[in-house]
Amino acid sequence: MPRELTQNRIQKIWIPSKDDKPAVPRRAGGPYFTNSPTVIVMVGLPARGKTYISKKLTRYLNWTGVPTKVFNVGEYRREAVKQYSSYDFFRPDNQEAMKIRKQCALSALTDVKSYLLEEGGQVAVFDATNTTRDRREMILNFGKENGFKVFFIESVCEDPNVVATNIMEVKVSCPDYKDCNKTDAMEDFLKRIECYRASYQPLDPDNYDRDISFIKVIDVGRRFLVNRIQDYIQSKIVYYLMNIHVQPRTIYLCRHGESEHNVLGQIGGDSGLSSRGKKFSGALSRFMEEQNLKNLKVWTSQLKRTIQTAETLSMPYEQWKALNEIDAGICEEMTYEQIKERYPEEFALRDQDKYYYRYPTGESYQDLVQRLEPVIMELERQENVLVICHQAVMRCLLAYFLDKSADEMPYLKCPLHTVLKLTPVAYGCKVESIYLNVEAVNTHRERPEQDVKRGPSTLMRRNSVTPLASPEPTKKPRIKSLDDHMASTSTSLSGFAASDISTAGQPLLGKACLT
Amino acid sequence: MEQTELTQTPLQKIWVPWMSTLLQRRRGSSVPQFTNSPTMIVMVGLPARGKTYISKKLTRYLNWIGVPTKVFNVGQYRREAVQTYKSYEFFMPNNEDAMKIRKACAIAALQDVNIYLTHEQGQVAVFDATNTTRDRRELIINFSKENGYKVFFVESICDDPDIIEANILQVKLTSPDYKDCDKEKVVEDFLKRIECYKINYTPLHDEYDRNLSYIKIFNVGSRYLVNHVLDHIQSRIVYYLMNIHVTPRSIYLCRHGESELNLLGRIGGDSGLSERGKKFASALGLFMRDQAIQDLKVWTSHMKRTIQTAEALGVPYEQWKALNEIDAGVCEDMTYEEIQENYPLEFALRDQDKYRYRYPKGESYEDLVQRLEPVIMELERQENVLVICHQAVMRCLLAYFLDKSAEELPYLKCSLHTVLKLTPVAYGCKVESFFLNIEAVNTHRDKPENVEVTRNPEEALDTVPAHI
């Protein structure tokens, strides 16, 4: 006998109803990524972009709903060895240091294990040089023992300009060099790299590493060697890595000008601009001209208000249906007051869990993220882009760039007539908020008071497209006493407490946000 | 600043500046057009390395997502020029006469590429030949430069003799070159043909070809080398090539069991199964069990009727919102008679161009294809899959597998209670249709004779299938 179906109230997903309890909701669109968790292992000399790739990839995977976390061995080392003195620490003949460094790697792997087996993690990014076969062998064994898939990402680059730029961008300002001037830092770091070079064994696709799964990224993405992709998630990771680039560029996000519906407080619909909205379009055009950009691409949705806004720019623009505002289903074109009156239960449910809540016959923020993924992928490929979209859509895109969780996303502030200028910098994104000085209504609804009953969020989060902000790196010292570890010779990792995962901070706009 | 007036195109519901409706060119579509210059994809590799297989499959995929693409197979030009194939000796490198003919064929094919890309609105041309020498590739690169085309090479490298033999048996035995030959002779001759090419084969080289854009595929996809991808379309092509595989498998497509709204002749909505629909669900369970498939994945939409159908199978299933039926916007839950009564203009427009027609506040088949692209990509990655979906959705998926055009797609017959079993074979797909012997209403509406907006209701409703 087929089971009875009920539609869960927040997500509107049809699920079998067992007994009285609402059954655990099923996946909301998208295949089940993998059964086994995956460890992504970075490989490469220092200053090859490993941490950059680790953080960016983690941000992307979390946004698409795959719980992912970076484990940066350098941070474990900074915890263990409070004060960095010089590159001598990294000399291959420095036995004391070698022991410490190995222990740090082991301790990071222990945390990887906890994250993947006990904390609901799906992907762990092991960010370290991992330049020797021995080290990689150890990690492969660790993966085998625990039933994790292992995927290597090697970054190879011998262009001295790229390396020097990297060092200036992220190394001279790192905690290791806080008391040094730039020249000294650069000099020391270059010597540090030399320490690794002698023992560096790159991945060898023809022989030694023929059977492992990896991607070699050569010369910052000019060339890729991809070996033995095992599954969906590795395929997505490869596609993402092949689309990202490091050319300086700027992304501008804004909403359409104030619309007639905005003025009346009506949501959704396909109305045109109000007269203030038209003024904004003019202001936007002048603003973009002042930005003085070469080759700006302009994207809009297929709703009239964004197109009207773009028309004033007098430049070609592309219409994306995927950028259309969230579909409010039966609530389209109603005001919040009308919704509250006619559908009080729906209104309450939305406040209960705004990210997962799907309007009847409409969409949820969760649906929006799925729909916007190709837009994000193309934004990564592009250079200067102005995206003229809508409130909910802009929140989703912003959450991607600023690494915001599903919880924060529906409450990010995206007011009318305000352009957000995003510039990639170091490991994150600088945001500047520019209000173009044309009055408009406020369409932002704050998160309701905390005593609103919250749904069983953990149930819904399981196996669904749920942006998570990338977790804070583990900073607590893992090693109680080095001596305890010197004693043990095996690589088995047991007996460590699970680390805390804290989510990223508040949605602060108009400030530099560096992840 | 002057605000240009906007108007919404009646068929696709796209907002365009009023003036541009006076122009032929369509201003917008469901998805941005990312290609400016046309692209030539140039296959490279010894015979029996899967070049034609890849060419045809890639072409089918690109056409389906809306990028006009065509294959130019030089072997076919050669068969035209040299009516009868005698033996591998034609391909010997010292056979000067033959070399002249073969070069002329390549040039003739390039001229047709030129016509297709410059005068026939083609966007991508796939140049399917061995292209194993630097000279030949140089020729092609110069040709492209002269004409403003981007070039992307796809090289297939394979040294596994088992795979090569399997390829020969699968597609060469039935080639016109070898009609009336017995199997052993074919394999023997073809292997000698390959040897002729090996002598002068220069694969794409890391240093020498450093500035070319290409992907090298090793051993049917176990490894890839990707160099200097220039743009969006090349990136999509690479992603597609990295997801396809040749492991034998079957894809089963069917619709949900007959629904309550189906019985009433109403479109869309989210109703449950009728009694007969429930019977179908059980029958489907038995049918799939008899198919005795290992590791079957089952996918449904988010709509109740597909999920109810899947529930009867008693196996785990995945719900994809992307598999939801086409959104009929303001016409949701209506019968065709009601649509004719309330929106006669819309009803006529739909019949005029069913593929591009977008329901007011709803979707078009064109939108559906964009929405389904990730489903197709994942279907390519998977092995045995049963997809329980909806009429319009199934038509889109079927059109992908059977290489149907946008004109044919919205009229493909996808009846209730019928499972289509698709099995890849040679360069295409074998289809078997299984009606599970449970009566259901017919929901297929053929294109009526009169599609003018001036037609009368009887003409409009002429092809509406019977319902309660």
Side-chain angles (χ1 to χ4, degrees):
Chain A
M1 267 311 285
R3 299 179 285 187
E4 274 303 306
L5 295 180
T6 57
Q7 200 176 35
N8 78 11
R9 291 154 71 227
I10 289 201
Q11 291 177 296
K12 310 300 189 291
I13 297 201
W14 289 102
I15 45 171
S17 43
K18 282 185 220 173
D19 311 285
D20 292 314
K21 302 174 289 190
V24 174
R26 297 216 177 222
R27 173 162 323 288
Y32 194 9
F33 293 127
T34 54
N35 299 316
S36 333
T38 303
V39 181
I40 297 175
V41 183
M42 302 306 298
V43 179
L45 293 173
R48 264 59 177 177
K50 297 184 302 299
T51 300
Y52 175 81
I53 291 172
S54 300
K55 291 188 178 226
K56 202 171 162 76
L57 186 57
T58 297
R59 175 163 58 88
Y60 167 71
L61 290 172
N62 276 311
W63 185 77
T64 63
V66 181
T68 306
K69 185 174 173 179
V70 183
F71 296 83
N72 177 293
V73 177
E75 276 166 32
Y76 285 73
R77 189 260 305 156
R78 274 185 276 276
E79 279 299 312
V81 181
K82 291 299 181 179
Q83 185 56 46
Y84 175 76
S85 46
S86 81
Y87 78 94
D88 286 319
F89 183 85
F90 290 96
R91 285 171 51 177
D93 54 0
N94 185 339
Q95 293 210 15
E96 268 295 311
M98 287 296 246
K99 279 191 196 132
I100 296 173
R101 290 160 67 194
K102 184 167 186 186
Q103 285 315 317
C104 288
L106 290 175
S107 138
L109 285 177
T110 309
D111 287 347
V112 163
K113 183 175 172 180
S114 276
Y115 176 67
L116 296 179
L117 294 180
E118 292 154 28
E119 294 165 26
Q122 187 67 48
V123 176
V125 183
F126 191 69
D127 178 18
T129 49
N130 298 315
T131 38
T132 62
R133 286 179 180 169
D134 277 349
R135 176 56 53 85
R136 298 194 292 262
E137 188 79 33
M138 177 181 93
I139 298 168
L140 281 166
N141 291 335
F142 164 81
K144 245 187 232 126
E145 277 165 19
N146 293 291
F148 303 150
K149 289 186 177 167
V150 180
F151 185 71
F152 293 89
I153 299 178
E154 181 174 26
S155 174
V156 176
C157 180
E158 286 313 318
D159 180 341
N161 293 321
V162 175
V163 175
T165 308
N166 287 354
I167 296 175
M168 286 311 285
E169 181 112 327
V170 295
K171 302 296 180 186
V172 302
S173 51
C174 106
D176 290 343
Y177 295 110
K178 64 183 192 290
D179 298 319
C180 294
N181 69 49
K182 288 197 181 132
T183 325
D184 291 343
M186 170 75 83
E187 197 187 313
D188 184 270
F189 202 87
L190 288 170
K191 292 203 186 106
R192 209 204 274 198
I193 296 175
E194 290 314 305
C195 296
Y196 282 90
R197 209 187 277 280
S199 56
Y200 179 23
Q201 292 161 300
L203 290 172
D204 174 21
D206 294 317
N207 290 303
Y208 193 87
D209 298 304
R210 177 175 65 243
D211 292 326
I212 62 176
S213 302
F214 67 85
I215 177 171
K216 228 189 239 269
V217 180
I218 300 159
D219 290 336
V220 203
R222 189 182 166 92
R223 215 167 141 72
F224 301 90
L225 198 143
V226 181
N227 201 56
R228 294 202 188 272
I229 300 179
Q230 293 171 346
D231 61 15
Y232 175 83
I233 196 87
Q234 291 179 17
S235 163
K236 266 332 267 226
I237 288 168
V238 164
Y239 185 45
Y240 183 71
L241 292 177
M242 297 200 326
N243 282 316
I244 62 181
H245 67 76
V246 293
Q247 297 312 313
R249 50 80 169 254
T250 309
I251 295 171
Y252 297 82
L253 299 181
C254 72
R255 292 166 66 188
H256 52 81
E258 182 192 68
S259 72
E260 281 154 9
H261 273 21
N262 287 145
V263 172
L264 297 171
Q266 286 174 269
I267 67 170
D270 194 13
S271 59
L273 299 179
S274 65
S275 55
R276 299 195 298 192
K278 290 175 184 168
K279 275 213 192 77
F280 166 73
S281 313
L284 180 65
S285 176
R286 287 186 291 277
F287 173 74
M288 293 314 297
E289 246 182 75
E290 284 161 23
Q291 294 291 302
N292 214 1
L293 298 157
K294 273 190 292 234
N295 296 343
L296 174 72
K297 297 272 165 70
V298 181
W299 295 353
T300 70
S301 70
Q302 288 193 342
L303 295 172
K304 187 178 187 184
R305 50 199 188 275
T306 57
I307 298 165
Q308 262 186 297
T309 309
E311 274 289 318
T312 317
L313 300 173
S314 298
M315 30 172 104
Y317 55 89
E318 290 289 346
Q319 296 186 16
W320 287 77
K321 189 169 194 280
L323 286 171
N324 279 8
E325 183 55 316
I326 191 171
D327 183 354
I330 58 178
C331 299
E332 277 284 316
E333 305 201 68
M334 294 171 76
T335 63
Y336 286 120
E337 291 74 37
Q338 288 168 338
I339 300 174
K340 191 167 184 182
E341 196 187 305
R342 206 178 310 172
Y343 305 109
E345 192 185 313
E346 293 296 327
F347 194 71
L349 285 172
R350 187 157 205 252
D351 281 339
Q352 211 173 298
D353 207 325
K354 195 174 177 187
Y355 179 75
Y356 286 101
Y357 172 81
R358 185 186 279 170
Y359 282 104
T361 73
E363 292 178 305
S364 61
Y365 273 89
Q366 187 179 38
D367 295 327
L368 260 194
V369 163
Q370 280 244 292
R371 157 147 81 82
L372 287 168
E373 203 263 349
V375 177
I376 286 293
M377 196 64 89
E378 191 55 28
L379 273 172
E380 286 294 347
R381 289 197 57 77
Q382 293 288 344
E383 293 188 18
N384 294 319
V385 187
L386 164 63
V387 184
I388 304 173
C389 56
H390 305 267
Q391 184 166 246
V393 169
M394 188 165 157
R395 285 170 171 155
C396 291
L397 298 178
L398 197 59
Y400 167 75
F401 289 107
L402 301 187
D403 205 13
K404 300 296 179 188
S405 67
D407 202 50
E408 301 169 281
M409 184 197 292
Y411 297 102
L412 293 176
K413 278 210 166 70
C414 295
L416 286 165
H417 299 186
T418 305
V419 181
L420 292 186
K421 180 175 175 178
L422 302 163
T423 321
V425 69
Y427 292 135
C429 221
K430 177 174 92 165
V431 195
E432 293 163 75
S433 170
I434 301 123
Y435 171 58
L436 294 193
N437 226 350
V438 179
E439 291 286 321
V441 295
N442 173 25
T443 56
H444 185 91
R445 267 190 84 240
E446 285 295 344
R447 191 194 295 267
E449 294 303 305
Q450 285 304 104
D451 55 60
V452 168
K453 197 164 71 145
R454 298 298 218 100
S457 30
T458 44
L459 281 180
M460 276 187 257
R461 256 159 246 272
R462 197 173 73 97
N463 303 336
S464 29
V465 179
T466 310
L468 305 164
S470 305
E472 283 297 315
T474 305
K475 286 220 162 78
K476 295 201 200 110
R478 295 268 123 238
I479 305 168
K480 301 292 179 199
S481 143
L482 280 177
D483 298 327
D484 291 345
H485 281 276
M486 299 310 152
S488 109
T489 49
S490 80
T491 57
S492 79
L493 306 158
S494 57
F496 283 109
S499 59
D500 278 355
I501 303 175
S502 56
T503 53
Q506 306 306 308
L508 296 168
L509 300 180
K511 280 177 135 187
C513 296
L514 291 172
T515 50
Chain B
M1 251 185 195
E2 275 298 305
Q3 275 282 328
T4 8
E5 273 303 302
L6 290 183
T7 176
Q8 200 175 38
T9 62
L11 185 81
Q12 291 178 293
K13 314 294 187 292
I14 305 236
W15 288 102
V16 295
W18 185 77
M19 288 306 278
S20 83
T21 50
L22 304 179
L23 303 167
Q24 283 286 33
R25 211 173 81 82
R26 217 176 69 212
R27 183 75 184 260
S29 72
S30 299
V31 181
Q33 306 304 300
F34 284 116
T35 49
N36 298 317
S37 336
T39 303
M40 253 222 321
I41 296 177
V42 182
M43 302 304 299
V44 179
L46 293 172
R49 263 61 177 175
K51 297 185 299 301
T52 301
Y53 174 83
I54 290 172
S55 301
K56 291 186 180 230
K57 204 170 160 76
L58 186 55
T59 298
R60 177 163 58 87
Y61 167 71
L62 290 172
N63 277 313
W64 186 76
I65 61 172
V67 181
T69 307
K70 187 170 173 187
V71 183
F72 296 83
N73 177 293
V74 177
Q76 271 163 224
Y77 285 73
R78 190 259 305 155
R79 275 184 275 275
E80 280 290 303
V82 182
Q83 293 291 323
T84 330
Y85 174 77
K86 295 204 202 70
S87 81
Y88 76 93
E89 279 164 11
F90 183 84
F91 292 96
M92 284 176 59
N94 53 16
N95 185 339
E96 290 206 18
D97 281 338
M99 286 297 244
K100 279 201 195 112
I101 295 174
R102 290 162 67 196
K103 184 169 185 182
C105 288
I107 292 176
L110 284 177
Q111 281 164 352
D112 285 348
V113 164
N114 191 9
I115 294 172
Y116 177 65
L117 295 180
T118 312
H119 304 290
E120 289 173 13
Q121 275 90 49
Q123 192 64 53
V124 176
V126 183
F127 193 69
D128 179 17
T130 49
N131 299 314
T132 39
T133 62
R134 283 184 180 165
D135 277 348
R136 177 56 52 85
R137 298 194 292 261
E138 188 79 31
L139 176 89
I140 296 169
I141 292 169
N142 291 335
F143 164 82
S144 306
K145 264 200 206 109
E146 279 161 33
N147 291 292
Y149 306 149
K150 289 183 177 167
V151 183
F152 187 73
F153 292 92
V154 178
E155 183 172 26
S156 174
I157 294 177
C158 182
D159 291 312
D160 182 338
D162 291 331
I163 297 181
I164 294 166
E165 180 159 333
N167 287 354
I168 296 175
L169 293 176
Q170 182 111 149
V171 296
K172 303 297 179 185
L173 282 186
T174 47
S175 144
D177 288 345
Y178 293 113
K179 62 181 197 285
D180 306 327
C181 291
D182 79 77
K183 201 164 36 166
E184 264 116 45
K185 282 253 149 52
V186 175
V187 176
E188 194 188 317
D189 184 270
F190 204 86
L191 288 172
K192 291 206 185 98
R193 209 203 275 197
I194 295 176
E195 291 309 309
C196 295
Y197 282 90
K198 268 199 189 154
I199 301 164
N200 291 321
Y201 180 23
T202 318
L204 291 171
H205 188 263
D206 285 356
E207 271 311 301
Y208 187 87
D209 298 306
R210 162 175 83 249
N211 289 321
L212 300 182
S213 301
Y214 63 83
I215 178 171
K216 260 193 211 243
I217 303 172
F218 295 87
N219 292 325
V220 204
S222 87
R223 189 195 309 175
Y224 305 91
L225 186 69
V226 180
N227 196 62
H228 202 31
V229 167
L230 286 177
D231 61 14
H232 175 89
I233 197 79
Q234 291 180 15
S235 166
R236 293 286 288 274
I237 289 166
V238 164
Y239 185 45
Y240 183 71
L241 293 177
M242 297 198 323
N243 282 316
I244 60 180
H245 67 79
V246 292
T247 312
R249 49 81 169 254
S250 291
I251 294 171
Y252 297 82
L253 298 181
C254 71
R255 291 165 68 186
H256 51 82
E258 183 191 68
S259 73
E260 279 150 15
L261 285 183
N262 286 145
L263 278 177
L264 298 171
R266 294 186 175 281
I267 66 172
D270 195 13
S271 59
L273 299 179
S274 66
E275 278 313 306
R276 300 193 296 194
K278 289 176 184 166
K279 282 213 190 75
F280 166 73
S282 309
L284 181 63
L286 292 169
F287 174 77
M288 293 314 294
R289 242 197 318 276
D290 289 341
Q291 291 290 301
I293 307 151
Q294 268 161 330
D295 291 332
L296 176 73
K297 296 271 166 73
V298 178
W299 296 353
T300 69
S301 70
H302 273 203
M303 292 176 150
K304 188 177 187 182
R305 50 199 186 279
T306 57
I307 297 166
Q308 261 186 300
T309 309
E311 275 286 320
L313 301 176
V315 301
Y317 55 89
E318 290 294 337
Q319 297 186 18
W320 288 74
K321 186 168 198 277
L323 286 170
N324 277 7
E325 182 56 316
I326 192 171
D327 183 355
V330 299
C331 300
E332 277 285 317
D333 292 297
M334 288 188 172
T335 61
Y336 289 120
E337 290 87 349
E338 284 164 5
I339 300 175
Q340 166 59 28
E341 197 185 311
N342 292 295
Y343 304 102
L345 172 64
E346 294 293 330
F347 201 47
L349 286 174
R350 186 155 206 254
D351 285 333
Q352 287 175 18
D353 193 343
K354 196 173 175 189
Y355 183 74
R356 282 169 204 89
Y357 171 81
R358 186 186 278 171
Y359 280 106
K361 305 197 176 162
E363 293 178 302
S364 61
Y365 274 92
E366 194 174 23
D367 294 328
L368 255 196
V369 162
Q370 292 310 321
R371 158 148 82 79
L372 286 168
E373 200 265 349
V375 177
I376 286 294
M377 197 63 90
E378 191 54 25
L379 272 172
E380 286 294 347
R381 291 196 55 79
Q382 292 288 343
E383 293 185 18
N384 295 314
V385 188
L386 164 64
V387 184
I388 304 172
C389 54
H390 304 267
Q391 183 165 248
V393 169
M394 187 164 159
R395 285 170 170 155
C396 290
L397 298 178
L398 197 58
Y400 167 75
F401 288 108
L402 302 186
D403 204 13
K404 298 296 181 189
S405 67
E407 281 59 51
E408 299 169 281
L409 190 162
Y411 295 103
L412 293 175
K413 275 216 168 60
C414 294
S415 325
L416 286 167
H417 300 186
T418 306
V419 181
L420 293 185
K421 179 178 176 176
L422 303 162
T423 318
V425 70
Y427 294 135
C429 223
K430 178 174 89 170
V431 198
E432 295 163 79
S433 172
F434 298 94
F435 171 57
L436 297 196
N437 225 347
I438 293 172
E439 291 296 314
V441 295
N442 172 28
T443 56
H444 185 94
R445 190 179 155 262
D446 276 312
K447 184 171 177 168
E449 284 230 14
N450 189 346
V451 300
E452 298 308 315
V453 301
T454 50
R455 66 191 179 176
N456 60 46
E458 289 74 44
E459 291 173 300
L461 298 172
D462 185 40
T463 54
V464 171
H467 59 85
I468 299 173

